[in-house]
């Protein structure tokens, strides 16, 4: 265990700006954050606080007019040397994707390619990064689907034949297919109804147990973090206002904004029941 | 109790009504694709019949007397007796299917067309049947326009996809603006420029006819080489303009797809760029291009009149122009019928093909 660092990700002074014709929007303003190996780290914060921006910047999926203006993101994949995610390019970055760093996108309803069967959307990414698994695909795909509570026949279906919850689970199964070091999940439950939300949260927790992946779970819903996370980081207007053990934060929030977020949970609970 | 009653009635009904139709219906509901195909092919025949009928009556209603024209031609050419005998006129009217009222003419025309593939004699080439005149020109048109259309589509879709993919880059901007400028330039204008450069200034390529008249037509290498050489300029003018318009439309279809979530997801997956372009981007936007291609293939059977005229190419376009000048109704109607037939057939084939290409196209409704 000598070259396995305790942190999977070390974010230092990350800044992201969107340059619009109405001036620059500083969406992420100097964030420092470590993601520890094997943990589930929750990122909380209201809508517009910069959570998704942080995620796509880490994943190097930031699109114009967004631009990283400062900081470093050191990534320590197991069995590979540490890299600054903000400095890798081209082939080096492409090889790193999915096998080490995968993504469960927000608004996952339209993230699957509508003209490809589910199994082919597993296949292309697996074969791209692990071509030697070609012969085990036929057992691998049903096993991954079963892991998130889906039947094997889902493999043969097209995205438009799946419900929202099923799509979300398919994406979860694809995210862990190559047993990455880190999965970044952006609002994994937001578009789903409450019963499905619980199932998805349970599956996410199971994924950590079964695959030992590190999860970064973004959600505006403090209830999600209460159920799932080990630690939680609270964002407000692009800055981190509080990071800590989830129980500690809930018991004794240091920042008034965090308290406000926590107080909004019971309301949600009442509406759901 | 009320819930028990209806099923009994239903069972009785199904036993009363004849079993065979329900058997067919069951089979059709089990094979939705076959049911769809049968319905679609049935519709095709109705469309075909309707369009051929409209074309027939349309041309009969155009003023002008083809027989009078023929007699005049014969008189001029062979110095006929001033008064053609009424007997002769009657014979021609018989042959051109102009006896009886309009409806019986229509029945006779359709009978000859459907049962014998006979379009009646051509006026300009009397007594050669119009179908022979058309069949002589058809291979030239299919060869020139068909191959050019296929090439233009392939080049255009590939280049358009790349132009969309690399939007924002200099090369893409150049290709796009060039396409906007050139896709609406008429074919013949490009043809004239090509003729000026390659035939007139450089003198390397021939600009008239379909092959060297010193070579006897046949399956010889020499003849085929000559056909290719003579087809190069007219073909090129069509390919160039066609390619630019396909580039433009493919790019337009491509750009919105590039903003889709599944493209970002494909990038996050770390797939190779070429694979994302073909399997994710192009695969989601090329269907309209296939439809458009099928329809454009149908239309080439009208011939590309201007290009064929300009290069004196012996295709359908040239035949059509000559036929119109001489009021050769059987030939005009024949060319129209071929165009109708090919457009409808192309659309039929596409409709049968699309459910297989895109899982989201529903064929059962
Ligand atoms: N493409 C863009 N152009 C300009 N500004 C943007 C763009 N995307 C995001 N922003 C701005 O950046 C800020 C952060 O947005 P972001 O999407 O990261 O928020 P979020 O915390 O993920 O919100 P939500 O919970 O609603 O998903 C917002 O003020 C938003 O207006
Ligand atoms: Mg977001």
């Amino acid at each position: 265990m000598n070259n396995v660092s305790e942190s999977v990700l070390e974010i230092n002074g990350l800044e992201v700006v969107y340059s619009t014709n109405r001036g620059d929007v500083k969406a992420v303003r100097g964030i420092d954050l470590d993601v520890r190996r094997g943990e589930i780290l929750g990122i909380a914060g209201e809508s517009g606080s910069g959570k998704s921006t942080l995620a796509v910047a880490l994943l190097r999926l930031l699109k114009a007019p967004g631009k990283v203006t400062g900081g470093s993101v050191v990534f320590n994949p197991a069995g590979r040397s540490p890299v600054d995610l903000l400095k890798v390019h081209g082939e080096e970055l492409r090889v790193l994707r999915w096998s080490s760093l995968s993504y469960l996108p927000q608004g996952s309803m339209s993230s699957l390619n509508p003209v490809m069967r589910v199994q082919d959307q597993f296949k292309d990414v697996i074969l791209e990064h692990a071509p030697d698994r070609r012969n085990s695909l036929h057992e691998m795909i049903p096993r991954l689907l079963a892991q998130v509570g889906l039947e094997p026949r889902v493999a043969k279906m097209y995205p438009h034949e799946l419900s929202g919850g099923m799509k979300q689970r398919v994406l979860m199964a694809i995210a862990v297919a190559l047993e990455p070091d880190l999965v970044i999940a952006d609002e994994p439950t937001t578009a789903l109804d409450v019963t499905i939300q619980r199932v998805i949260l349970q599956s996410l927790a199971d994924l950590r147990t079964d695959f030992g992946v590190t999860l970064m779970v973004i959600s505006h819903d403090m209830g999600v973090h209460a159920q799932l996370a080990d630690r939680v980081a609270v964002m407000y207007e692009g800055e981190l206002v509080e990071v800590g053990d989830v129980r500690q934060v809930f018991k004794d929030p240091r920042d008034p904004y965090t308290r406000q977020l926590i107080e909004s949970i019971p309301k949600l609970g009442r509406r759901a029941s | 109790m009320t819930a028990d009653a209806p099923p009994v009635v239903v069972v009785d009904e199904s036993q009363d009504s004849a079993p065979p139709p329900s058997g067919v219906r069951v089979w059709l509901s089990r094979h939705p694709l076959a049911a769809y195909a049968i319905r679609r092919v049935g519709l095709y025949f109705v469309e075909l019949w309707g369009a051929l009928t409209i074309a027939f009556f349309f041309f009969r209603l155009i003023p002008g007397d083809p027989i009078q024209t023929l007699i005049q031609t014969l008189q001029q050419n062979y110095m006929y007796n001033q008064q053609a005998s009424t007997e002769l006129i009657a014979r021609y009217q018989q042959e051109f299917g102009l006896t009886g009222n309009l409806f019986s003419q229509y029945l006779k025309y359709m009978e000859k067309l459907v049962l014998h593939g006979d379009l009646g004699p051509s006026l300009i080439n009397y007594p050669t049947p119009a179908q022979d005149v058309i069949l002589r020109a058809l291979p030239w048109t299919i060869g020139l326009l068909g191959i050019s259309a296929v090439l233009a589509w392939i080049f255009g879709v590939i280049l358009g996809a790349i132009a969309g993919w690399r939007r924002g880059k200099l090369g893409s901007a150049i290709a796009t603006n060039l396409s906007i400028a050139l896709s609406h330039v008429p074919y013949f204008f490009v043809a004239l420029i090509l003729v000026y450069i390659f035939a007139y200034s450089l003198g390397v390529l021939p600009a008239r006819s379909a092959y060297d008249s010193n070579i006897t037509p046949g399956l010889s290498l020499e003849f085929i080489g000559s056909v290719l050489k003579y087809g190069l300029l007219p073909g090129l003018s069509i390919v160039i303009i066609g390619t630019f318009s396909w580039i433009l439309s493919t790019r337009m279809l491509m750009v919105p797809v590039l903003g889709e979530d599944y493209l970002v997801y494909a990038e996050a997956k770390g797939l190779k760029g070429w694979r994302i372009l073909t399997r994710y981007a192009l695969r989601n936007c090329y269907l309209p291009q296939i439809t458009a291609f099928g329809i454009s293939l149908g239309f080439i059977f009208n011939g590309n009149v201007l290009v064929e005229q300009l290069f004196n190419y012996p295709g359908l376009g040239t035949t059509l122009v000559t036929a119109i000048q001489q009021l050769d109704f059987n030939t005009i109607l024949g060319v129209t019928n071929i165009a109708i037939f090919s457009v409808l057939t192309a659309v039929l084939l596409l409709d049968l093909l699309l459910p297989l290409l895109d899982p989201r196209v529903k064929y059962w409704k």
Side-chain angles (χ1 to χ4, degrees), chain A residues 59-118:
Chain A
L59 289 157
R60 288 294 302 276
L61 295 170
L62 190 64
K63 297 275 178 302
K67 200 169 179 327
V68 174
T69 48
S72 70
V73 177
V74 179
F75 182 46
N76 297 305
R80 291 188 207 213
S81 47
V83 280
D84 186 343
L85 281 180
L86 301 179
K87 298 219 169 70
V88 283
H89 288 287
E91 195 60 12
E92 204 189 336
L93 174 63
R94 196 182 66 72
V95 169
L96 209 59
R97 290 186 188 281
W98 226 260
S99 52
S100 301
L101 176 64
S102 78
Y103 177 41
L104 193 57
Q106 176 170 14
S108 52
M109 295 311 109
S110 47
S111 290
L112 290 167
N113 184 348
V115 295
M116 274 168 82
R117 289 182 198 276
V118 166

Side-chain angles (χ1 to χ4, degrees), chain A residues 60-61 63 94 97-98 103 105 107 110-116 121 124-125 128-129 158 160 171 174, chain B residues 260-273 275 279-281 283-284 357-360 362:
Chain A
R60 288 294 302 276
L61 295 170
K63 297 275 178 302
R94 196 182 66 72
R97 290 186 188 281
W98 226 260
Y103 177 41
S110 47
S111 290
L112 290 167
N113 184 348
V115 295
M116 274 168 82
Q121 315 206 29
D124 65 2
V125 72
E128 184 69 58
H129 299 287
Y158 286 99
H160 71 273
L171 289 169
I174 298 178
Chain B
E260 293 282 349
D261 288 344
Y262 50 79
L263 258 101
V264 177
Y265 191 62
E267 189 191 347
K269 274 175 154 185
L271 303 178
K272 295 208 174 80
R275 194 175 188 85
R279 298 288 298 273
Y280 285 74
R283 186 81 176 68
N284 274 289
L357 293 181
D358 189 332
R360 289 166 301 181
K362 287 204 175 124

Side-chain angles (χ1 to χ4, degrees), chain B residues 10-31:
Chain B
V10 170
V11 169
D12 282 348
E13 255 178 7
S14 68
Q15 278 171 347
D16 281 351
S17 63
S22 75
V24 170
R25 208 163 289 157
V26 166
W27 186 86
L28 286 179
S29 67
R30 287 216 187 111
H31 302 82

Side-chain angles (χ1 to χ4, degrees), chain A residues 16-20 22-23 25-28 44-56 62-66 106 186-187 190 218-220 235 238:
Chain A
V16 182
V17 170
Y18 291 103
S19 324
T20 67
R22 277 170 285 104
V25 180
K26 286 190 182 157
V28 174
E46 64 183 356
S47 186
S49 57
K51 306 183 298 294
S52 296
T53 305
L54 172 66
V56 293
L62 190 64
K63 297 275 178 302
Q106 176 170 14
D186 193 356
E187 304 279 3
T190 303
I218 294 171
S219 180
H220 66 275
M235 276 184 86

Side-chain angles (χ1 to χ4, degrees), chain B residues 58-315:
Chain B
F58 181 78
F59 282 109
R60 282 299 144 109
L61 294 179
I62 289 177
D65 185 344
I67 301 302
Q68 207 55 52
T69 318
L70 175 67
I71 302 289
Q72 271 169 12
T73 317
L74 292 178
Q75 279 172 351
Q76 280 161 9
N77 291 358
Y78 305 104
M79 305 205 206
Y80 252 47
N81 186 338
Q82 276 301 82
Q83 291 125 338
S85 64
T86 43
E87 207 177 292
L88 187 62
I89 291 184
R91 209 190 85 208
Y92 281 133
Q93 286 197 320
Q94 182 72 32
E95 273 188 44
F96 280 88
L98 297 171
T99 51
N101 64 20
L102 204 52
F103 189 67
S104 68
Q105 288 180 23
Y106 165 72
L107 287 183
K108 210 176 294 160
Y109 184 84
M110 289 302 259
E111 183 199 325
K112 283 203 321 194
L113 176 63
V114 175
L115 295 184
H116 311 289
D118 183 4
L119 294 166
S122 156
L123 197 65
I124 25 177
N125 297 291
Y126 184 81
T128 315
Q131 66 268 23
D132 289 356
V133 174
I134 291 172
L135 283 179
R136 226 180 282 147
L138 200 56
W140 293 110
T141 288
I142 294 179
L144 176 67
L145 301 185
I147 294 174
S148 307
V150 171
L151 288 179
W153 189 83
I154 294 174
F155 294 154
V157 169
I158 293 177
L159 293 175
I162 295 174
W165 182 246
R166 301 181 60 83
R167 73 198 183 291
K169 304 259 163 56
L170 184 65
S172 168
I174 292 174
T176 307
N177 286 308
L178 209 61
S179 303
I180 292 172
L182 287 184
S183 59
H184 290 99
V185 171
Y187 291 103
F188 64 83
F189 185 70
V190 177
L192 284 173
I193 293 174
L194 288 175
V195 166
Y196 180 79
I197 298 172
F198 292 102
Y200 180 73
S201 292
L202 301 177
V204 286
L205 286 172
R208 293 187 73 74
S209 177
Y211 55 90
D212 189 343
S213 55
N214 296 327
I215 301 169
T216 35
L219 268 180
S220 64
L221 269 182
E222 198 187 14
F223 178 70
I224 293 170
S226 164
V227 167
L228 288 179
K229 189 174 165 192
Y230 277 72
L232 210 55
L233 282 186
L236 212 55
S237 60
I238 298 171
V239 170
I240 288 176
I241 294 302
T243 301
F244 280 117
S245 79
W246 288 119
I247 286 182
L248 208 56
S249 54
T250 308
R251 199 196 108 98
M252 255 157 57
L253 288 167
M254 187 86 175
V255 167
V257 169
L258 293 177
E260 293 282 349
D261 288 344
Y262 50 79
L263 258 101
V264 177
Y265 191 62
E267 189 191 347
K269 274 175 154 185
L271 303 178
K272 295 208 174 80
W274 184 250
R275 194 175 188 85
I276 300 177
L277 172 60
T278 52
R279 298 288 298 273
Y280 285 74
L282 201 50
R283 186 81 176 68
N284 274 289
C285 73
Y286 80 115
L287 281 187
Q289 294 300 64
I290 296 221
T291 312
F293 178 64
I295 292 169
S296 79
L297 261 195
F299 280 114
I300 68 170
F301 291 94
N302 285 331
N304 189 314
V305 175
L306 283 171
V307 168
E308 287 188 8
Q309 287 280 90
L310 189 84
F311 288 97
N312 202 18
Y313 209 81

